[in-house]
Amino acid sequence: MKKIIFNTLLLVLLATAVQAQDKFFTKTGKISFFSSTPMEDIQAHNKTTTSVIDTKTGKMEFAVLMKAFQFEKALMEEHFNENYVESGKFPKASFSGAIVNIGDVDFKKDGTYKVTVKGNLTLHGVTKPVEAPGTIVVKNGVVNAASTFNVAPEDYKIAIPNLVREKIAKQIKVTVDMNYEPLKS
Amino acid sequence: MKKLKFALLLLCLLAYSSSYAQDDLLSLLGEEEETTEYAKASFKTTRVINGHSLENVAGGVMDMKISHRFGMLNSGAYNLFGLDQASIRIGLDYGINDRLMVGFGRSSHNKVYDGFAKLKLLRQSSGKRTMPISLVVLSGVYLKTIEWQQPERDNYFSSRLEYTHQLIVGRKFSEGTTIQFMPTVVHRNLVPTTEDTHDVILIGAAARQKLTKRVAINAEYYYALPDQLSPDRKNSLAIGFDIETGGHVFQLHFTNSTSMIEPGFMTETIGDWGKGDIHFGFNVSRVFTIRKPKKLEG
């Protein structure tokens, strides 16, 4: 009788441990954005993105602290936080979605896989559905995910005054570059 | 026995559901590490109006400031309410790093060359490290190069020099509201009358309130402690607006002071608000990034 209880408990523990290995995470993911106009090029980098990916279901989540975006010019950084994304009110941007073709990716085998990610992007307090192409590279148990897509500030109620309209692109190019490690629990 | 089986089954189910029905993947990473967040942009620029604010220019950034004070409003329509006259200061400020800035300038009023250093001792922050206030120390030296009023007497070079030492203590209370206090001492090597003391102690107070994202209203007052200045001297009061456009900040204001440097507006103000001795004036600030921050490399 005791054996049964012990075995069951072991099984339960094992089950949870195995399941947890299906997940990968990072706290140092890179997100950059780039706005290009004939008047001015603006770029910013963030190296502290957190993200978790569930290789079984294909689910992925991202969270990024807006104040951690670093700009070339101090004043741009101040205006970005104060006037545009209002980091005081909306400190984080997040994405919650899934890899649509998760079946095509074998996280146990080295290789490069083309994927499509679909989900909801929340920025400046506004949530919108987005879809983006991406690449997943598996090598020696490490997973890298990369994607490039466009975001229109207008869609997220980020107001740009006429005075600087010419300096900020209507479509901002966002680049995501994540190096995931296995999540051990 | 049945009870036990049931309990085991329940346990299995629970374990199963807790590891699978995890909707919020990010919560698996546990509590986030707290970071220290510094209060930024407590004022739009490094000056409230005449005097300094809590803010420094960022490291590697140069700020060119051109300031005007027109004549007094009560000088009438003949002088277009003061617009016919102007006192000017042209200055350059530079951030050596995020905490230390230096600047120099030249004022037309009394033909003064000035230089200063401004250091942030404490920075208001929240999160991992909490600091309720910001504390800034400012020291300036001022050289009057206007010709001597009495060239026939013995005039010394040292008589042309004045000094200011100031502490600025303040807090950004909310996104829009900042209040600061500025205990100040001005030292004058040469004083105009025997009633004047060489060291003048003043207490300043200033506030800013944002009206919109890009427009703020500022007020600034310097109170000189009694029995230090000749009786015709008034305390400096200024009220104005900051308007921010991209890389420029325009400050438009009304003040009873002609001078735009510390010993000037703190000890030489003779304008009386009540009588309409008010100057309209503006400061234009334009910043240039001279040295790019290292953090972006790689």
Side-chain angles (χ1 to χ4, degrees):
Chain A
M1 186 59 221
K2 268 197 181 144
K3 234 180 193 173
I4 298 175
I5 302 176
F6 180 73
N7 281 341
T8 322
L9 278 174
L10 200 73
L11 203 72
V12 167
L13 273 170
L14 217 72
T16 45
V18 165
Q19 278 156 21
Q21 293 249 308
D22 296 335
K23 296 189 178 77
F24 287 80
F25 84 104
T26 179
K27 287 183 176 181
T28 55
K30 287 181 204 157
I31 291 185
S32 309
F33 66 80
F34 190 67
S35 154
S36 178
T37 64
M39 298 277 286
E40 191 160 49
D41 285 341
I42 300 166
Q43 55 177 317
H45 303 274
N46 187 315
K47 292 171 188 163
T48 57
T49 309
T50 53
S51 175
V52 175
I53 174 167
D54 184 336
T55 58
K56 239 191 191 136
T57 60
K59 270 190 186 169
M60 54 194 339
E61 278 183 14
F62 295 83
V64 60
L65 205 61
M66 298 313 277
K67 278 193 179 155
F69 274 100
Q70 297 182 324
F71 290 70
E72 206 170 274
K73 294 183 180 173
L75 199 69
M76 280 180 179
E77 197 168 310
E78 186 180 314
H79 290 167
F80 172 75
N81 287 307
E82 285 262 306
N83 300 343
Y84 297 104
V85 297
E86 299 177 84
S87 306
K89 257 190 255 171
F90 312 108
K92 274 184 184 174
S94 61
F95 174 82
S96 174
I99 298 167
V100 180
N101 52 334
I102 186 67
D104 300 349
V105 189
D106 186 354
F107 286 92
K108 289 185 181 72
K109 213 175 100 192
D110 287 5
T112 304
Y113 308 92
K114 292 258 174 252
V115 293
T116 302
V117 176
K118 247 180 164 170
N120 289 313
L121 176 65
T122 305
L123 174 64
H124 192 240
V126 180
T127 303
K128 291 259 165 173
V130 290
E131 189 177 331
T135 313
I136 287 180
V137 179
V138 181
K139 205 179 173 189
N140 304 327
V142 178
V143 176
N144 172 271
S147 173
T148 302
F149 57 97
N150 285 325
V151 166
E154 219 182 325
D155 290 349
Y156 296 87
K157 297 206 167 83
I158 297 169
I160 294 164
N162 288 333
L163 207 63
V164 293
R165 186 66 266 187
E166 301 297 309
K167 291 184 180 177
I168 298 170
K170 288 223 186 317
Q171 292 286 339
I172 311 264
K173 195 172 101 182
V174 179
T175 307
V176 180
D177 182 13
M178 304 277 145
N179 276 313
Y180 291 98
E181 307 164 38
L183 178 67
K184 295 180 184 88
S185 54
Chain B
M1 187 62 205
K2 259 191 184 158
K3 246 185 195 168
L4 190 67
K5 262 189 186 164
F6 181 72
L8 282 174
L9 198 72
L10 203 72
L11 188 69
C12 282
L13 263 167
L14 254 153
Y16 181 84
S17 59
S18 71
S19 58
Y20 261 102
Q22 184 61 263
D23 270 345
D24 188 7
L25 284 173
L26 285 172
S27 67
L28 292 176
L29 297 179
E31 283 291 300
E32 275 174 69
E33 260 179 71
E34 243 191 328
T35 51
T36 303
E37 213 177 89
Y38 293 103
K40 284 185 175 166
S42 59
F43 285 88
K44 293 263 185 221
T45 179
T46 57
R47 305 301 199 284
V48 181
I49 290 169
N50 290 314
H52 277 265
S53 74
L54 284 172
E55 289 298 318
N56 274 20
V57 287
V61 173
M62 189 179 75
D63 184 358
M64 187 171 77
K65 286 192 180 289
I66 299 173
S67 310
H68 277 250
R69 299 294 178 271
F70 293 104
M72 288 171 177
L73 292 183
N74 63 1
S75 63
Y78 179 67
N79 284 324
L80 197 59
F81 307 97
L83 293 191
D84 285 355
Q85 304 160 304
S87 157
I88 302 166
R89 179 181 180 272
I90 298 172
L92 280 181
D93 296 349
Y94 181 71
I96 291 169
N97 56 43
D98 284 347
R99 305 189 89 159
L100 177 64
M101 73 182 265
V102 293
F104 73 92
R106 205 278 193 172
S107 301
S108 62
H109 182 71
N110 283 335
K111 304 192 188 297
V112 183
Y113 289 87
D114 67 89
F116 70 87
K118 185 178 180 185
L119 177 68
K120 279 194 174 188
L121 293 176
L122 300 175
R123 288 179 291 178
Q124 183 186 336
S125 63
S126 57
K128 199 172 174 185
R129 205 166 47 198
T130 309
M131 175 57 62
I133 55 150
S134 289
L135 179 65
V136 178
V137 58
L138 170 84
S139 279
V141 57
Y142 310 81
L143 174 69
K144 280 186 184 174
T145 64
I146 197 163
E147 283 172 0
W148 295 113
Q149 284 180 334
Q150 296 157 289
E152 64 285 357
R153 64 173 230 185
D154 274 344
N155 289 304
Y156 303 104
F157 175 77
S158 60
S159 304
R160 295 186 174 279
L161 289 169
E162 293 175 324
Y163 307 89
T164 299
H165 303 288
Q166 183 172 56
L167 282 177
I168 307 172
V169 54
R171 177 174 165 82
K172 184 179 181 180
F173 285 92
S174 67
E175 206 50 44
T177 313
T178 307
I179 295 173
Q180 65 172 38
F181 295 95
M182 306 82 83
T184 310
V185 55
V186 175
H187 178 84
R188 301 174 293 169
N189 281 343
L190 179 70
V191 291
T193 70
T194 50
E195 286 167 306
D196 285 81
T197 55
H198 286 280
D199 289 312
V200 181
I201 298 165
L202 304 102
I203 307 288
R208 95 82 198 250
Q209 175 62 47
K210 263 172 129 176
L211 300 175
T212 71
K213 276 182 204 161
R214 293 174 181 81
V215 178
I217 183 165
N218 289 346
E220 175 189 70
Y221 181 67
Y222 279 92
Y223 172 75
L225 298 185
D227 305 324
Q228 300 183 103
L229 297 171
S230 48
D232 62 328
R233 299 301 154 105
K234 300 285 186 289
N235 291 323
S236 175
L237 171 67
I239 295 166
F241 293 94
D242 286 1
I243 301 163
E244 174 189 81
T245 69
H248 291 89
V249 177
F250 295 93
Q251 296 184 296
L252 308 174
H253 35 252
F254 294 97
T255 168
N256 58 340
S257 302
T258 310
S259 179
M260 289 155 269
I261 50 172
E262 284 73 18
F265 66 82
M266 288 180 191
T267 70
E268 292 165 13
T269 295
I270 47 171
D272 186 334
W273 271 77
K275 290 184 184 146
D277 301 336
I278 301 162
H279 304 269
F280 172 64
F282 64 83
N283 304 342
V284 179
S285 153
R286 165 82 219 191
V287 296
F288 302 92
T289 302
I290 303 293
R291 184 164 44 86
K292 286 175 185 170
K294 273 195 194 128
K295 59 188 178 184
L296 282 181
E297 284 163 18

